Amino acid sequence: MQEPAEGTTYWYGPADTETRSILEAVRTFRRADEAMRQRAGRDMAMNLTDLRALRHVIAAEQVGTSVTPRDLAEDLGISTASTTKVLDRLAGSGHLQRRPHPRDRRSVVVVATAAAHREVRERLAGAHARMIEAARGVPEHCRPAVRDFLLALAASVEETDDDVATTVVEDGPGRPSEAVGQRDGDPAAGR
């Protein structure tokens, strides 16, 4: 394995000091956010998946959208069987209720109880108020750049290496080139 060049770290070169400090700040926030969510989950006697499920249902309610168990399974990235267990736990703890779907008799929607809304506000209102204050501290003219940076960062980590490889083998506008292996002399590559 090759060692990093003199004056570099694992991912960054010597000219990347500012870039590295920005990404370290993002990592610091992610760790703090994760710790806050773990504390909230402990305080509310639920695991992180249950907390994410509750957050998803409450967020959907805020914009007037119904949530089905299938929607929740997709958002959480878990099976419908696992989602049923999550819903059973949250219904048993009094955080969620299943109700008949207003338009589909075969389905149900999931709603947060008044007690769940109250508990979430009590547990997280202070943290959210402090985050809003921090966001207000960003100079107005910088806010679009900060937002765009965070969205681009999110997109960059959602993209898989396979997605990147597909983009890299583009050869000219809208014309895919030979596969990388073919350019390197392996005609079987890319088939």
Side-chain angles (χ1 to χ4, degrees):
M1 183 171 178
Q2 186 176 353
E3 294 294 318
E6 184 70 30
T8 65
T9 61
Y10 197 82
W11 301 113
Y12 311 102
D16 289 328
T17 304
E18 286 296 316
T19 302
R20 189 169 89 211
S21 72
I22 290 170
L23 294 175
E24 282 300 323
V26 170
R27 288 184 190 103
T28 299
F29 167 74
R30 287 190 62 230
R31 285 189 297 270
D33 183 65
E34 183 69 21
M36 179 215 30
R37 291 177 192 286
Q38 288 175 351
R39 281 191 310 274
R42 273 193 312 273
D43 291 347
M44 296 172 69
M46 63 178 67
N47 65 41
L48 290 178
T49 301
D50 293 359
L51 188 61
R52 281 185 57 212
L54 181 59
R55 182 196 122 326
H56 178 80
V57 171
I58 289 174
E61 289 176 359
Q62 297 298 306
V63 296
T65 304
S66 297
V67 175
T68 65
R70 182 175 301 273
D71 297 331
L72 206 49
E74 287 176 18
D75 181 68
L76 297 173
I78 60 176
S79 69
T80 53
S82 294
T83 302
T84 298
K85 290 178 183 178
V86 168
L87 292 175
D88 288 347
R89 283 193 303 270
L90 291 172
S93 66
H95 289 97
L96 293 180
Q97 294 178 336
R98 293 175 175 105
R99 294 190 180 157
H101 194 288
R103 293 174 303 283
D104 182 355
R105 292 182 329 179
R106 298 167 296 158
S107 186
V108 297
V109 293
V110 182
V111 296
T113 64
H117 281 281
R118 202 170 33 257
E119 188 173 10
V120 166
R121 275 193 297 274
E122 288 171 4
R123 304 272 185 215
L124 299 175
H128 281 274
R130 291 185 297 275
M131 287 190 293
I132 288 169
E133 246 349 91
R136 286 183 181 142
V138 175
E140 232 176 282
H141 70 281
C142 297
R143 291 174 187 174
V146 171
R147 182 200 59 235
D148 292 348
F149 160 70
L150 292 171
L151 292 173
L153 194 62
S156 74
V157 297
E158 288 176 349
E159 189 172 319
T160 67
D161 288 338
D162 289 342
D163 295 336
V164 173
T166 300
T167 304
V168 168
V169 294
E170 289 286 322
D171 184 25
R175 202 181 89 202
S177 72
E178 299 171 348
V180 173
Q182 289 175 325
R183 289 185 298 181
D184 294 339
D186 181 3
R191 285 191 196 146

